[in-house]
Short mmCIF file of all heavy atoms in Angstrom, two decimals:
data_model
loop_
_atom_site.label_atom_id
_atom_site.label_comp_id
_atom_site.label_asym_id
_atom_site.label_seq_id
_atom_site.Cartn_x
_atom_site.Cartn_y
_atom_site.Cartn_z
N MET A 238 49.71 -1.63 -5.96
CA MET A 238 48.90 -0.93 -5.00
C MET A 238 47.76 -0.18 -5.66
O MET A 238 46.68 -0.10 -5.10
CB MET A 238 49.83 0.03 -4.23
CG MET A 238 49.22 0.59 -3.00
SD MET A 238 49.01 -0.72 -1.81
CE MET A 238 48.28 0.12 -0.50
N ILE A 239 47.98 0.33 -6.84
CA ILE A 239 46.95 1.06 -7.57
C ILE A 239 45.78 0.12 -7.89
O ILE A 239 44.63 0.52 -7.78
CB ILE A 239 47.54 1.64 -8.87
CG1 ILE A 239 48.65 2.61 -8.56
CG2 ILE A 239 46.46 2.22 -9.74
CD1 ILE A 239 48.38 4.04 -8.81
N GLU A 240 46.08 -1.13 -8.23
CA GLU A 240 45.02 -2.08 -8.54
C GLU A 240 44.14 -2.32 -7.33
O GLU A 240 42.91 -2.42 -7.45
CB GLU A 240 45.62 -3.40 -9.02
CG GLU A 240 46.29 -3.30 -10.37
CD GLU A 240 47.02 -4.57 -10.75
OE1 GLU A 240 46.94 -5.56 -9.98
OE2 GLU A 240 47.66 -4.57 -11.80
N TYR A 241 44.74 -2.40 -6.16
CA TYR A 241 43.97 -2.61 -4.93
C TYR A 241 43.07 -1.39 -4.66
O TYR A 241 41.90 -1.55 -4.30
CB TYR A 241 44.92 -2.84 -3.76
CG TYR A 241 44.19 -3.01 -2.45
CD1 TYR A 241 43.49 -4.19 -2.17
CD2 TYR A 241 44.17 -2.00 -1.51
CE1 TYR A 241 42.81 -4.35 -0.98
CE2 TYR A 241 43.48 -2.14 -0.31
CZ TYR A 241 42.80 -3.32 -0.06
OH TYR A 241 42.11 -3.47 1.12
N GLU A 242 43.59 -0.19 -4.87
CA GLU A 242 42.79 1.02 -4.67
C GLU A 242 41.63 1.07 -5.66
O GLU A 242 40.52 1.47 -5.31
CB GLU A 242 43.67 2.26 -4.79
CG GLU A 242 44.65 2.41 -3.63
CD GLU A 242 45.67 3.51 -3.87
OE1 GLU A 242 45.62 4.16 -4.94
OE2 GLU A 242 46.52 3.71 -3.00
N MET A 243 41.89 0.67 -6.90
CA MET A 243 40.82 0.62 -7.91
C MET A 243 39.77 -0.41 -7.50
O MET A 243 38.56 -0.17 -7.64
CB MET A 243 41.39 0.32 -9.29
CG MET A 243 42.20 1.47 -9.87
SD MET A 243 43.04 1.08 -11.42
CE MET A 243 41.73 0.48 -12.43
N PHE A 244 40.24 -1.55 -7.02
CA PHE A 244 39.32 -2.60 -6.57
C PHE A 244 38.44 -2.08 -5.43
O PHE A 244 37.22 -2.28 -5.42
CB PHE A 244 40.14 -3.83 -6.12
CG PHE A 244 39.32 -4.82 -5.36
CD1 PHE A 244 38.46 -5.68 -6.02
CD2 PHE A 244 39.42 -4.90 -3.98
CE1 PHE A 244 37.70 -6.60 -5.31
CE2 PHE A 244 38.67 -5.82 -3.26
CZ PHE A 244 37.81 -6.67 -3.92
N LYS A 245 39.04 -1.41 -4.44
CA LYS A 245 38.29 -0.91 -3.29
C LYS A 245 37.30 0.19 -3.72
O LYS A 245 36.19 0.25 -3.22
CB LYS A 245 39.23 -0.38 -2.21
CG LYS A 245 40.06 -1.44 -1.51
CD LYS A 245 39.20 -2.56 -0.96
CE LYS A 245 38.70 -2.27 0.41
NZ LYS A 245 37.93 -3.37 1.02
N ALA A 246 37.72 1.04 -4.66
CA ALA A 246 36.82 2.09 -5.16
C ALA A 246 35.62 1.46 -5.85
O ALA A 246 34.47 1.89 -5.65
CB ALA A 246 37.57 3.02 -6.10
N ARG A 247 35.87 0.44 -6.65
CA ARG A 247 34.76 -0.25 -7.35
C ARG A 247 33.86 -0.95 -6.33
O ARG A 247 32.63 -0.94 -6.47
CB ARG A 247 35.34 -1.27 -8.35
CG ARG A 247 34.31 -2.03 -9.10
CD ARG A 247 33.54 -1.12 -10.05
NE ARG A 247 32.52 -1.90 -10.72
CZ ARG A 247 31.27 -1.52 -10.86
NH1 ARG A 247 30.89 -0.33 -10.45
NH2 ARG A 247 30.39 -2.28 -11.46
N GLU A 248 34.45 -1.52 -5.31
CA GLU A 248 33.67 -2.18 -4.27
C GLU A 248 32.75 -1.17 -3.57
O GLU A 248 31.57 -1.45 -3.32
CB GLU A 248 34.60 -2.84 -3.27
CG GLU A 248 33.89 -3.63 -2.19
CD GLU A 248 34.87 -4.25 -1.21
OE1 GLU A 248 35.80 -3.55 -0.75
OE2 GLU A 248 34.68 -5.43 -0.91
N ARG A 249 33.28 0.02 -3.28
CA ARG A 249 32.46 1.05 -2.65
C ARG A 249 31.32 1.49 -3.56
O ARG A 249 30.20 1.72 -3.10
CB ARG A 249 33.32 2.26 -2.27
CG ARG A 249 34.14 2.04 -1.01
CD ARG A 249 34.78 3.33 -0.52
NE ARG A 249 35.72 3.91 -1.48
CZ ARG A 249 37.01 3.60 -1.59
NH1 ARG A 249 37.54 2.70 -0.78
NH2 ARG A 249 37.78 4.18 -2.48
N GLU A 250 31.59 1.60 -4.86
CA GLU A 250 30.54 1.94 -5.83
C GLU A 250 29.43 0.90 -5.82
O GLU A 250 28.24 1.23 -5.80
CB GLU A 250 31.11 2.03 -7.25
CG GLU A 250 31.85 3.28 -7.57
CD GLU A 250 32.38 3.23 -9.00
OE1 GLU A 250 31.76 2.57 -9.86
OE2 GLU A 250 33.43 3.86 -9.25
N ILE A 251 29.82 -0.37 -5.85
CA ILE A 251 28.84 -1.45 -5.86
C ILE A 251 28.00 -1.43 -4.58
O ILE A 251 26.77 -1.57 -4.63
CB ILE A 251 29.55 -2.81 -6.04
CG1 ILE A 251 30.12 -2.90 -7.46
CG2 ILE A 251 28.60 -3.97 -5.77
CD1 ILE A 251 31.05 -4.08 -7.69
N LEU A 252 28.65 -1.23 -3.45
CA LEU A 252 27.91 -1.18 -2.18
C LEU A 252 26.98 0.03 -2.13
O LEU A 252 25.86 -0.06 -1.63
CB LEU A 252 28.88 -1.17 -1.00
CG LEU A 252 29.65 -2.47 -0.78
CD1 LEU A 252 30.68 -2.29 0.33
CD2 LEU A 252 28.71 -3.62 -0.46
N ALA A 253 27.43 1.16 -2.65
CA ALA A 253 26.58 2.36 -2.67
C ALA A 253 25.37 2.13 -3.57
O ALA A 253 24.25 2.53 -3.23
CB ALA A 253 27.38 3.57 -3.13
N ASP A 254 25.58 1.49 -4.73
CA ASP A 254 24.46 1.18 -5.62
C ASP A 254 23.47 0.25 -4.93
O ASP A 254 22.25 0.41 -5.06
CB ASP A 254 24.96 0.52 -6.92
CG ASP A 254 25.66 1.51 -7.84
OD1 ASP A 254 25.52 2.73 -7.63
OD2 ASP A 254 26.36 1.04 -8.77
N ALA A 255 23.97 -0.73 -4.21
CA ALA A 255 23.09 -1.66 -3.50
C ALA A 255 22.29 -0.93 -2.42
O ALA A 255 21.11 -1.19 -2.24
CB ALA A 255 23.91 -2.80 -2.89
N ASP A 256 22.94 0.00 -1.72
CA ASP A 256 22.23 0.78 -0.71
C ASP A 256 21.13 1.63 -1.33
O ASP A 256 20.02 1.71 -0.80
CB ASP A 256 23.19 1.68 0.06
CG ASP A 256 24.08 0.91 1.03
OD1 ASP A 256 23.74 -0.25 1.35
OD2 ASP A 256 25.09 1.49 1.47
N ARG A 257 21.43 2.27 -2.47
CA ARG A 257 20.42 3.08 -3.15
C ARG A 257 19.26 2.22 -3.62
O ARG A 257 18.10 2.60 -3.50
CB ARG A 257 21.03 3.83 -4.32
CG ARG A 257 21.81 5.06 -3.90
CD ARG A 257 22.15 5.94 -5.09
NE ARG A 257 23.05 5.30 -6.03
CZ ARG A 257 24.39 5.30 -5.95
NH1 ARG A 257 24.97 5.93 -4.94
NH2 ARG A 257 25.12 4.69 -6.84
N ALA A 258 19.56 1.04 -4.13
CA ALA A 258 18.50 0.13 -4.58
C ALA A 258 17.63 -0.30 -3.40
O ALA A 258 16.41 -0.38 -3.52
CB ALA A 258 19.11 -1.08 -5.28
N ALA A 259 18.24 -0.56 -2.27
CA ALA A 259 17.48 -0.95 -1.08
C ALA A 259 16.57 0.19 -0.62
O ALA A 259 15.42 -0.03 -0.24
CB ALA A 259 18.42 -1.37 0.04
N LEU A 260 17.07 1.42 -0.67
CA LEU A 260 16.25 2.58 -0.31
C LEU A 260 15.07 2.73 -1.25
O LEU A 260 13.95 3.04 -0.82
CB LEU A 260 17.09 3.86 -0.31
CG LEU A 260 18.07 4.01 0.86
CD1 LEU A 260 18.95 5.23 0.63
CD2 LEU A 260 17.31 4.13 2.16
N ARG A 261 15.31 2.53 -2.56
CA ARG A 261 14.21 2.61 -3.53
C ARG A 261 13.16 1.55 -3.25
O ARG A 261 11.97 1.82 -3.32
CB ARG A 261 14.75 2.47 -4.95
CG ARG A 261 15.35 3.74 -5.50
CD ARG A 261 15.56 3.66 -7.00
NE ARG A 261 16.37 2.53 -7.42
CZ ARG A 261 17.69 2.54 -7.55
NH1 ARG A 261 18.37 3.64 -7.30
NH2 ARG A 261 18.33 1.47 -7.94
N ARG A 262 13.61 0.32 -2.96
CA ARG A 262 12.65 -0.76 -2.66
C ARG A 262 11.84 -0.43 -1.42
O ARG A 262 10.62 -0.63 -1.39
CB ARG A 262 13.37 -2.09 -2.46
CG ARG A 262 13.77 -2.77 -3.75
CD ARG A 262 14.23 -4.20 -3.50
NE ARG A 262 15.31 -4.31 -2.54
CZ ARG A 262 16.60 -4.20 -2.83
NH1 ARG A 262 16.98 -3.97 -4.06
NH2 ARG A 262 17.53 -4.32 -1.89
N THR A 263 12.49 0.09 -0.40
CA THR A 263 11.79 0.45 0.84
C THR A 263 10.76 1.54 0.58
O THR A 263 9.62 1.46 1.04
CB THR A 263 12.80 0.90 1.91
OG1 THR A 263 13.71 -0.17 2.16
CG2 THR A 263 12.10 1.28 3.19
N ALA A 264 11.16 2.56 -0.17
CA ALA A 264 10.24 3.66 -0.49
C ALA A 264 9.05 3.13 -1.30
O ALA A 264 7.90 3.52 -1.06
CB ALA A 264 10.97 4.76 -1.26
N TRP A 265 9.31 2.25 -2.25
CA TRP A 265 8.24 1.68 -3.07
C TRP A 265 7.28 0.88 -2.19
O TRP A 265 6.06 1.01 -2.31
CB TRP A 265 8.84 0.79 -4.17
CG TRP A 265 7.82 0.23 -5.08
CD1 TRP A 265 7.23 0.84 -6.16
CD2 TRP A 265 7.23 -1.07 -5.02
NE1 TRP A 265 6.33 0.01 -6.75
CE2 TRP A 265 6.31 -1.17 -6.07
CE3 TRP A 265 7.40 -2.15 -4.17
CZ2 TRP A 265 5.55 -2.32 -6.29
CZ3 TRP A 265 6.66 -3.29 -4.39
CH2 TRP A 265 5.75 -3.37 -5.43
N ARG A 266 7.80 0.08 -1.30
CA ARG A 266 6.95 -0.72 -0.40
C ARG A 266 6.10 0.19 0.49
O ARG A 266 4.92 -0.11 0.73
CB ARG A 266 7.80 -1.64 0.46
CG ARG A 266 8.36 -2.81 -0.31
CD ARG A 266 9.13 -3.75 0.60
NE ARG A 266 9.76 -4.79 -0.19
CZ ARG A 266 11.05 -5.10 -0.12
NH1 ARG A 266 11.84 -4.47 0.71
NH2 ARG A 266 11.54 -6.07 -0.87
N GLU A 267 6.68 1.26 0.98
CA GLU A 267 5.92 2.20 1.82
C GLU A 267 4.80 2.86 1.02
O GLU A 267 3.68 2.99 1.52
CB GLU A 267 6.84 3.25 2.41
CG GLU A 267 7.76 2.73 3.50
CD GLU A 267 8.75 3.77 3.99
OE1 GLU A 267 8.70 4.93 3.53
OE2 GLU A 267 9.58 3.41 4.84
N ARG A 268 5.10 3.27 -0.22
CA ARG A 268 4.05 3.87 -1.05
C ARG A 268 2.93 2.89 -1.33
O ARG A 268 1.76 3.23 -1.32
CB ARG A 268 4.64 4.39 -2.37
CG ARG A 268 5.45 5.66 -2.22
CD ARG A 268 5.74 6.31 -3.55
NE ARG A 268 6.37 5.42 -4.51
CZ ARG A 268 7.68 5.22 -4.64
NH1 ARG A 268 8.51 5.86 -3.85
NH2 ARG A 268 8.15 4.39 -5.55
N ARG A 269 3.28 1.63 -1.60
CA ARG A 269 2.26 0.61 -1.86
C ARG A 269 1.42 0.36 -0.61
O ARG A 269 0.20 0.20 -0.69
CB ARG A 269 2.90 -0.71 -2.31
CG ARG A 269 3.68 -0.64 -3.60
CD ARG A 269 2.89 -0.10 -4.79
NE ARG A 269 1.64 -0.78 -4.96
CZ ARG A 269 0.52 -0.22 -5.45
NH1 ARG A 269 0.52 1.02 -5.83
NH2 ARG A 269 -0.58 -0.91 -5.57
N ALA A 270 2.04 0.33 0.55
CA ALA A 270 1.30 0.12 1.80
C ALA A 270 0.34 1.29 2.04
O ALA A 270 -0.81 1.08 2.45
CB ALA A 270 2.26 -0.03 2.97
N GLN A 271 0.80 2.51 1.78
CA GLN A 271 -0.08 3.67 1.95
C GLN A 271 -1.25 3.61 0.97
O GLN A 271 -2.39 3.93 1.33
CB GLN A 271 0.70 4.96 1.74
CG GLN A 271 1.67 5.24 2.87
CD GLN A 271 2.59 6.41 2.55
OE1 GLN A 271 2.59 6.93 1.44
NE2 GLN A 271 3.39 6.81 3.52
N ALA A 272 -0.98 3.19 -0.26
CA ALA A 272 -2.06 3.08 -1.25
C ALA A 272 -3.07 2.01 -0.82
O ALA A 272 -4.29 2.21 -0.97
CB ALA A 272 -1.48 2.73 -2.63
N ARG A 273 -2.58 0.89 -0.27
CA ARG A 273 -3.51 -0.13 0.22
C ARG A 273 -4.38 0.40 1.35
O ARG A 273 -5.58 0.12 1.41
CB ARG A 273 -2.73 -1.36 0.71
CG ARG A 273 -2.31 -2.31 -0.40
CD ARG A 273 -1.84 -3.65 0.15
NE ARG A 273 -0.67 -3.53 1.01
CZ ARG A 273 0.59 -3.49 0.58
NH1 ARG A 273 0.86 -3.55 -0.69
NH2 ARG A 273 1.58 -3.41 1.44
N MET A 274 -3.78 1.18 2.24
CA MET A 274 -4.55 1.76 3.34
C MET A 274 -5.61 2.73 2.82
O MET A 274 -6.75 2.72 3.29
CB MET A 274 -3.62 2.47 4.33
CG MET A 274 -2.82 1.51 5.18
SD MET A 274 -1.61 2.25 6.30
CE MET A 274 -2.25 3.83 6.68
N ARG A 275 -5.24 3.55 1.84
CA ARG A 275 -6.22 4.50 1.27
C ARG A 275 -7.37 3.75 0.61
O ARG A 275 -8.53 4.12 0.75
CB ARG A 275 -5.54 5.43 0.26
CG ARG A 275 -4.70 6.51 0.91
CD ARG A 275 -4.30 7.58 -0.09
NE ARG A 275 -3.59 7.04 -1.23
CZ ARG A 275 -2.27 6.87 -1.29
NH1 ARG A 275 -1.51 7.20 -0.27
NH2 ARG A 275 -1.70 6.39 -2.38
N ARG A 276 -7.04 2.66 -0.14
CA ARG A 276 -8.10 1.88 -0.78
C ARG A 276 -9.02 1.25 0.25
O ARG A 276 -10.24 1.23 0.08
CB ARG A 276 -7.50 0.80 -1.68
CG ARG A 276 -7.02 1.31 -3.02
CD ARG A 276 -6.79 0.19 -4.01
NE ARG A 276 -5.86 -0.81 -3.56
CZ ARG A 276 -4.54 -0.73 -3.67
NH1 ARG A 276 -3.98 0.32 -4.23
NH2 ARG A 276 -3.77 -1.70 -3.24
N ALA A 277 -8.45 0.74 1.34
CA ALA A 277 -9.26 0.13 2.40
C ALA A 277 -10.16 1.17 3.05
O ALA A 277 -11.33 0.90 3.34
CB ALA A 277 -8.36 -0.53 3.43
N GLU A 278 -9.63 2.37 3.28
CA GLU A 278 -10.44 3.43 3.87
C GLU A 278 -11.59 3.81 2.94
O GLU A 278 -12.72 4.00 3.39
CB GLU A 278 -9.58 4.66 4.17
CG GLU A 278 -8.64 4.47 5.33
CD GLU A 278 -7.63 5.59 5.47
OE1 GLU A 278 -7.62 6.51 4.61
OE2 GLU A 278 -6.85 5.56 6.43
N ARG A 279 -11.30 3.92 1.64
CA ARG A 279 -12.37 4.26 0.69
C ARG A 279 -13.42 3.15 0.64
O ARG A 279 -14.62 3.43 0.60
CB ARG A 279 -11.78 4.48 -0.71
CG ARG A 279 -11.16 5.84 -0.89
CD ARG A 279 -10.93 6.17 -2.35
NE ARG A 279 -10.14 5.18 -3.05
CZ ARG A 279 -8.82 5.24 -3.23
NH1 ARG A 279 -8.14 6.26 -2.75
NH2 ARG A 279 -8.19 4.30 -3.89
N ALA A 280 -12.97 1.90 0.65
CA ALA A 280 -13.92 0.79 0.62
C ALA A 280 -14.78 0.80 1.88
O ALA A 280 -15.99 0.53 1.81
CB ALA A 280 -13.16 -0.54 0.50
N GLY A 281 -14.20 1.11 3.02
CA GLY A 281 -14.97 1.20 4.25
C GLY A 281 -16.00 2.31 4.19
O GLY A 281 -17.13 2.15 4.64
N ALA A 282 -15.61 3.46 3.63
CA ALA A 282 -16.54 4.58 3.50
C ALA A 282 -17.69 4.22 2.57
O ALA A 282 -18.84 4.55 2.84
CB ALA A 282 -15.81 5.82 3.00
N VAL A 283 -17.39 3.52 1.48
CA VAL A 283 -18.43 3.11 0.55
C VAL A 283 -19.37 2.11 1.22
O VAL A 283 -20.59 2.19 1.07
CB VAL A 283 -17.81 2.49 -0.73
CG1 VAL A 283 -18.85 1.80 -1.57
CG2 VAL A 283 -17.12 3.59 -1.53
N ALA A 284 -18.81 1.19 1.99
CA ALA A 284 -19.64 0.21 2.69
C ALA A 284 -20.58 0.89 3.68
O ALA A 284 -21.75 0.54 3.77
CB ALA A 284 -18.76 -0.82 3.40
N LEU A 285 -20.08 1.87 4.42
CA LEU A 285 -20.93 2.59 5.38
C LEU A 285 -22.02 3.37 4.66
O LEU A 285 -23.17 3.39 5.10
CB LEU A 285 -20.09 3.54 6.23
CG LEU A 285 -19.27 2.88 7.33
CD1 LEU A 285 -18.41 3.93 8.04
CD2 LEU A 285 -20.17 2.19 8.33
N THR A 286 -21.67 4.01 3.54
CA THR A 286 -22.66 4.77 2.77
C THR A 286 -23.73 3.82 2.23
O THR A 286 -24.92 4.12 2.31
CB THR A 286 -21.98 5.51 1.61
OG1 THR A 286 -20.98 6.36 2.16
CG2 THR A 286 -22.97 6.32 0.81
N THR A 287 -23.30 2.68 1.71
CA THR A 287 -24.24 1.71 1.17
C THR A 287 -25.16 1.21 2.27
O THR A 287 -26.38 1.11 2.08
CB THR A 287 -23.48 0.53 0.53
OG1 THR A 287 -22.61 1.05 -0.48
CG2 THR A 287 -24.42 -0.47 -0.07
N LEU A 288 -24.61 0.91 3.43
CA LEU A 288 -25.42 0.45 4.56
C LEU A 288 -26.40 1.53 4.98
O LEU A 288 -27.57 1.24 5.26
CB LEU A 288 -24.52 0.06 5.72
CG LEU A 288 -25.22 -0.49 6.96
CD1 LEU A 288 -25.96 -1.78 6.60
CD2 LEU A 288 -24.23 -0.75 8.06
N ALA A 289 -25.96 2.79 4.99
CA ALA A 289 -26.83 3.89 5.38
C ALA A 289 -28.00 4.03 4.40
O ALA A 289 -29.09 4.45 4.79
CB ALA A 289 -26.04 5.19 5.45
N VAL A 290 -27.78 3.67 3.14
CA VAL A 290 -28.85 3.76 2.14
C VAL A 290 -29.76 2.54 2.23
O VAL A 290 -30.98 2.65 2.15
CB VAL A 290 -28.25 3.90 0.72
CG1 VAL A 290 -29.31 3.71 -0.34
CG2 VAL A 290 -27.56 5.24 0.59
N LEU A 291 -29.18 1.36 2.39
CA LEU A 291 -29.96 0.13 2.36
C LEU A 291 -30.77 -0.12 3.63
O LEU A 291 -31.86 -0.68 3.56
CB LEU A 291 -29.04 -1.06 2.09
CG LEU A 291 -28.41 -1.11 0.71
CD1 LEU A 291 -27.51 -2.33 0.60
CD2 LEU A 291 -29.46 -1.12 -0.37
N GLU A 292 -30.24 0.27 4.76
CA GLU A 292 -30.92 -0.02 6.02
C GLU A 292 -32.32 0.61 6.09
O GLU A 292 -33.28 -0.08 6.42
CB GLU A 292 -30.05 0.41 7.20
CG GLU A 292 -30.55 -0.06 8.53
CD GLU A 292 -30.59 -1.57 8.68
OE1 GLU A 292 -29.75 -2.25 8.06
OE2 GLU A 292 -31.44 -2.06 9.42
N PRO A 293 -32.49 1.91 5.78
CA PRO A 293 -33.84 2.47 5.80
C PRO A 293 -34.77 1.80 4.79
O PRO A 293 -35.95 1.61 5.07
CB PRO A 293 -33.63 3.94 5.45
CG PRO A 293 -32.21 4.23 5.77
CD PRO A 293 -31.48 2.93 5.55
N ALA A 294 -34.22 1.43 3.63
CA ALA A 294 -35.04 0.74 2.63
C ALA A 294 -35.49 -0.61 3.17
O ALA A 294 -36.65 -1.02 2.96
CB ALA A 294 -34.26 0.57 1.33
N HIS A 295 -34.63 -1.30 3.86
CA HIS A 295 -35.00 -2.59 4.44
C HIS A 295 -36.07 -2.41 5.51
O HIS A 295 -37.05 -3.17 5.57
CB HIS A 295 -33.76 -3.26 5.04
CG HIS A 295 -34.05 -4.53 5.76
ND1 HIS A 295 -34.67 -5.59 5.15
CD2 HIS A 295 -33.81 -4.92 7.04
CE1 HIS A 295 -34.81 -6.59 6.03
NE2 HIS A 295 -34.29 -6.19 7.18
N ASP A 296 -35.91 -1.38 6.35
CA ASP A 296 -36.91 -1.10 7.38
C ASP A 296 -38.26 -0.77 6.76
O ASP A 296 -39.31 -1.20 7.24
CB ASP A 296 -36.45 0.04 8.28
CG ASP A 296 -35.28 -0.36 9.17
OD1 ASP A 296 -35.03 -1.57 9.34
OD2 ASP A 296 -34.60 0.56 9.70
N MET A 297 -38.24 0.03 5.69
CA MET A 297 -39.48 0.39 5.01
C MET A 297 -40.14 -0.85 4.42
O MET A 297 -41.35 -1.05 4.55
CB MET A 297 -39.20 1.42 3.90
CG MET A 297 -40.45 1.93 3.23
SD MET A 297 -40.11 3.24 2.06
CE MET A 297 -39.08 2.40 0.88
N HIS A 298 -39.34 -1.70 3.81
CA HIS A 298 -39.87 -2.93 3.22
C HIS A 298 -40.50 -3.81 4.31
O HIS A 298 -41.58 -4.36 4.12
CB HIS A 298 -38.77 -3.69 2.48
CG HIS A 298 -39.19 -5.01 1.96
ND1 HIS A 298 -39.99 -5.13 0.85
CD2 HIS A 298 -38.95 -6.28 2.39
CE1 HIS A 298 -40.22 -6.41 0.62
NE2 HIS A 298 -39.60 -7.13 1.54
N ARG A 299 -39.80 -3.90 5.43
CA ARG A 299 -40.31 -4.70 6.54
C ARG A 299 -41.61 -4.11 7.09
O ARG A 299 -42.57 -4.82 7.38
CB ARG A 299 -39.25 -4.76 7.64
CG ARG A 299 -39.51 -5.82 8.65
CD ARG A 299 -38.25 -6.05 9.47
NE ARG A 299 -38.66 -6.17 10.84
CZ ARG A 299 -38.13 -5.57 11.87
NH1 ARG A 299 -37.10 -4.79 11.69
NH2 ARG A 299 -38.58 -5.73 13.08
N GLY A 300 -41.65 -2.78 7.18
CA GLY A 300 -42.87 -2.12 7.65
C GLY A 300 -44.04 -2.36 6.71
O GLY A 300 -45.17 -2.62 7.15
N LEU A 301 -43.78 -2.29 5.40
CA LEU A 301 -44.84 -2.57 4.43
C LEU A 301 -45.30 -4.01 4.52
O LEU A 301 -46.49 -4.30 4.39
CB LEU A 301 -44.35 -2.26 3.02
CG LEU A 301 -44.14 -0.77 2.69
CD1 LEU A 301 -43.52 -0.63 1.32
CD2 LEU A 301 -45.47 -0.02 2.77
N HIS A 302 -44.38 -4.91 4.73
CA HIS A 302 -44.73 -6.33 4.86
C HIS A 302 -45.64 -6.55 6.09
O HIS A 302 -46.62 -7.28 6.03
CB HIS A 302 -43.46 -7.17 4.97
CG HIS A 302 -43.70 -8.62 5.08
ND1 HIS A 302 -44.17 -9.37 4.02
CD2 HIS A 302 -43.58 -9.49 6.12
CE1 HIS A 302 -44.32 -10.62 4.39
NE2 HIS A 302 -43.96 -10.73 5.69
N LEU A 303 -45.32 -5.87 7.19
CA LEU A 303 -46.13 -5.99 8.40
C LEU A 303 -47.53 -5.38 8.18
O LEU A 303 -48.52 -5.91 8.69
CB LEU A 303 -45.43 -5.33 9.58
CG LEU A 303 -44.16 -6.04 10.09
CD1 LEU A 303 -43.49 -5.20 11.16
CD2 LEU A 303 -44.49 -7.44 10.62
N LEU A 304 -47.59 -4.27 7.44
CA LEU A 304 -48.88 -3.66 7.16
C LEU A 304 -49.76 -4.55 6.28
O LEU A 304 -50.97 -4.54 6.41
CB LEU A 304 -48.68 -2.30 6.46
CG LEU A 304 -48.24 -1.15 7.36
CD1 LEU A 304 -47.98 0.08 6.49
CD2 LEU A 304 -49.29 -0.84 8.40
N ALA A 305 -49.12 -5.29 5.40
CA ALA A 305 -49.88 -6.13 4.47
C ALA A 305 -50.47 -7.35 5.17
O ALA A 305 -51.37 -7.97 4.62
CB ALA A 305 -48.97 -6.57 3.33
N ARG A 306 -50.05 -7.65 6.33
CA ARG A 306 -50.58 -8.84 7.05
C ARG A 306 -52.01 -8.69 7.40
O ARG A 306 -52.71 -7.91 7.72
CB ARG A 306 -49.79 -9.09 8.32
CG ARG A 306 -48.47 -9.70 8.02
CD ARG A 306 -47.79 -9.92 9.34
NE ARG A 306 -46.85 -11.02 9.20
CZ ARG A 306 -46.24 -11.56 10.21
NH1 ARG A 306 -46.47 -11.15 11.42
NH2 ARG A 306 -45.40 -12.52 10.04
#
């Protein structure tokens, strides 16, 4: 009977370790997803800033081109 109790105790340890590993994987995936979202937000902000800088320059260039006609 003692062997069976030892077996069940070891089985519980293994299952608990597997549960902890699954929680770590889930937490890691969530952190990676959040990091991807932050990178996408930063890239979007950079794209808007770049567009805000380039658009007036394009308009000015176009205006100069029309004046040169």
Side-chain angles (χ1 to χ4, degrees):
M238 194 67 181
I239 298 250
E240 291 173 4
Y241 178 74
E242 290 170 1
M243 289 174 54
F244 167 78
K245 292 306 273 183
R247 180 67 182 134
E248 184 180 47
R249 282 191 298 273
E250 282 179 29
I251 291 170
L252 291 174
D254 287 345
D256 287 343
R257 281 192 295 274
L260 287 173
R261 280 194 305 270
R262 281 192 304 274
T263 301
W265 183 82
R266 286 183 185 128
E267 288 175 3
R268 286 193 306 272
R269 298 304 309 149
Q271 289 172 353
R273 278 193 298 275
M274 286 176 29
R275 285 192 303 272
R276 281 195 304 275
E278 288 170 357
R279 281 195 305 265
V283 168
L285 284 176
T286 303
T287 303
L288 182 62
V290 169
L291 293 179
E292 190 63 30
H295 175 57
D296 290 343
M297 185 174 62
H298 175 75
R299 195 165 137 227
L301 290 174
H302 181 70
L303 291 174
L304 284 176
R306 284 181 154 189

